[in-house]
Amino acid sequence: MALVHVHGIGNRGAENEAQAELRNSWFRLELMPAAGCRSPEAPILNPRWGAELPPPAWNWASLGLDGIESLGDDGPVGDHSITEIVDGVMAMAPEVAEGCVLVTAARTSLLWALELLAASVEAQSPAERDATVAFCALAVAYWAWKTSDGRRGDGIKFFAWLGKVEADDDFLDRLEQELDTWQQEHEESGGQEDVPDELERFGAVQVPRPLRTAVRRINATLKRTVAGRVMAVSRRFTPKGALLFADVAAYLAGRGSAKEPGKIVKLVAEDLDKAAKAAQANGDPLIVVAHSMGGNIVHDVLSSFHQPEVPIALLVTVGTQVGLFEELKLFDSSDPAVPSSQVAKVPALQNVKRWINVMDVRDPLAFAAGPVFAGAEDLVFDSGALLPHGAYLTSPDFHRRLARRIREGLHS
């Protein structure tokens, strides 16, 4: 097996290697085994198409990216991704105390707190990444098992032990104890209860160092945000919106033609070829995961620029505009005669065996593909994130649910 991940907008510079490896760890833990991966060393390719985009003439002077202005603070509010997390908690609980961001979130929803924690992690070594992913996966499995995926309840009304936790460090320690107790309950049942896959794979786990570091970063950002007395979410939408427009326009202007494809098309197509050869050599399937604009590029490459003999067992698009692009007839393969009385939808891609398209219910940049494309399977996901467009691949619950749906498809 091999997996190709194609990123979305706002990725013109070098990728954070630690974040990329953490994402790869999630792929290896959940998605790849669910799809039938037999090799732990199966390659994961990440074509960095953003690096092929032309540079801005004034170095983004029009976006004012020198820093986010903050009343009472001369500098930026802080790490943008962490600031978004803190903003979300403060929106629900304006009086949240320093050192209690996660506890405050957990009392509303334990799953929300776990998602915030996972999105804040920076792990450097492979051992740290694996330990962090395993702990987060087991914690979310615990939440899902206890609450029946949230149907029975959540937060302090369901997890009474949250009422005895006063600070975020204590929250991590108590969560570790709860996971140990959960494991013991299953062991004492003598196999009478169905055991979640994560519990069998990981067993007892301890809180890894990157999670404790993430807690400190979250609460340090809370302190800066409160000191500045401003939440910077609305300001951050401007650069992100501009980058979306810029990246889409630059790709469409430079994608080329089937005879002379552009740099981005060549880059993605070459990595698809490499991954296909690696998968075929091991007798394994090929997986493609595409986020946002990456989904549009992948569809363009597969439908117009790439040889159809490359078999893709599973295409997963998350937060993409593929359906919208086709409605606007922006793909090279778009046919103005479809839809018609004879052809209701765009025919399915012949070399894609299964296509899953995931949309966060709050993501303004995610569009359905099923009503437009034959063979597209639309699924809705709720990350609970304040800015959900970038939250899919950092969400433990997303990876858990996606893996489960893939397994169901293999056995149907």
Side-chain angles (χ1 to χ4, degrees):
M1 174 175 289
L3 184 146
V4 179
H5 166 257
V6 185
H7 65 74
I9 64 163
N11 291 281
R12 293 179 175 235
E15 185 169 27
N16 183 313
E17 292 186 8
Q19 291 298 317
E21 289 301 327
L22 192 65
R23 182 184 63 233
N24 290 348
S25 293
W26 277 112
F27 287 151
R28 294 189 187 281
L29 178 80
E30 298 280 17
L31 191 156
M32 296 174 76
C37 180
R38 295 174 291 181
S39 172
E41 303 301 324
I44 298 177
L45 303 180
N46 295 279
R48 196 72 180 169
W49 62 266
E52 301 296 331
L53 295 169
W58 280 272
N59 195 30
W60 300 120
S62 61
L63 299 184
L65 293 183
D66 292 333
I68 299 175
E69 295 179 2
S70 174
L71 293 175
D73 191 345
D74 293 331
V77 171
D79 182 309
H80 290 187
S81 61
I82 303 299
T83 303
E84 290 165 4
I85 288 170
V86 171
D87 285 350
V89 178
M90 290 182 68
M92 293 290 295
E95 302 302 320
V96 58
E98 184 180 351
C100 300
V101 177
L102 289 175
V103 171
T104 302
R107 287 174 178 171
T108 298
S109 167
L110 177 59
L111 177 62
W112 184 30
L114 297 175
E115 296 281 294
L116 298 181
L117 187 60
S120 309
V121 169
E122 289 185 353
Q124 300 299 326
S125 71
E128 283 187 343
R129 287 194 299 271
D130 291 345
T132 299
V133 168
F135 186 91
C136 291
L138 189 59
V140 171
Y142 160 82
W143 169 86
W145 182 266
K146 292 288 187 179
T147 68
S148 297
D149 284 330
R151 289 186 292 272
R152 297 176 58 196
D154 200 352
I156 195 170
K157 293 181 179 179
F158 188 86
F159 296 99
W161 58 266
L162 286 170
K164 302 177 182 179
V165 178
E166 299 298 332
D168 287 348
D169 285 333
D170 297 333
F171 167 74
L172 289 179
D173 291 334
R174 183 57 186 266
L175 179 60
E176 181 182 294
Q177 294 176 18
E178 292 297 320
L179 296 181
D180 287 341
T181 301
W182 183 44
Q183 181 190 26
Q184 293 172 12
E185 290 173 353
H186 284 291
E187 291 177 348
E188 292 170 0
S189 72
Q192 296 179 9
E193 296 182 359
D194 292 332
V195 179
D197 175 64
E198 291 85 355
L199 195 57
E200 286 189 322
R201 281 189 286 163
F202 304 130
V205 295
Q206 295 180 328
V207 178
R209 185 193 65 82
L211 292 182
R212 297 194 183 278
T213 302
V215 167
R216 291 195 291 271
R217 291 173 63 225
I218 288 172
N219 283 282
T221 301
L222 172 69
K223 186 176 181 179
R224 287 194 297 270
T225 301
V226 173
R229 298 189 182 280
V230 62
M231 290 188 289
V233 174
S234 60
R235 178 69 181 271
R236 286 196 299 277
F237 278 120
T238 299
K240 290 188 176 184
L243 286 173
L244 172 63
F245 172 78
D247 289 0
V248 171
Y251 167 73
L252 293 176
R255 68 179 166 188
S257 63
K259 291 183 178 180
E260 295 184 10
K263 291 182 179 180
I264 293 175
V265 169
K266 285 182 178 179
L267 176 67
V268 174
E270 287 172 0
D271 273 7
L272 286 172
D273 283 334
K274 292 177 185 176
K277 291 177 181 177
Q280 290 170 355
N282 296 321
D284 281 336
L286 171 61
I287 302 172
V288 178
V289 179
H291 174 243
S292 190
M293 184 61 191
N296 306 325
I297 295 173
V298 165
H299 185 272
D300 232 358
V301 171
L302 294 178
S303 62
S304 298
F305 298 96
H306 205 233
Q307 56 267 37
E309 60 266 21
V310 175
I312 296 175
L314 176 64
L315 170 63
V316 179
T317 53
V318 293
T320 70
Q321 307 83 45
V322 180
L324 176 66
F325 267 45
E326 179 57 38
E327 288 216 65
L328 299 176
K329 300 302 177 183
L330 295 178
F331 292 117
D332 188 71
S333 62
S334 293
D335 183 354
V338 178
S340 67
S341 57
Q342 291 77 32
V343 183
K345 297 182 180 182
V346 177
L349 294 168
Q350 295 182 357
N351 57 330
V352 176
K353 185 175 181 180
R354 187 181 186 191
W355 176 9
I356 295 176
N357 180 60
V358 184
M359 303 167 287
D360 192 300
V361 295
R362 295 180 179 87
D363 184 357
L365 299 177
F367 295 83
V372 178
F373 295 93
E377 178 184 350
D378 286 326
L379 298 173
V380 171
F381 172 69
D382 185 0
S383 69
L386 184 65
L387 298 178
H389 187 63
Y392 297 91
L393 298 181
T394 63
S395 164
D397 197 38
F398 167 81
H399 289 283
R400 181 184 69 89
R401 290 175 183 271
L402 178 62
R404 183 173 63 187
R405 184 56 66 102
I406 291 170
R407 290 191 183 94
E408 290 173 354
L410 291 177
H411 295 97
S412 62

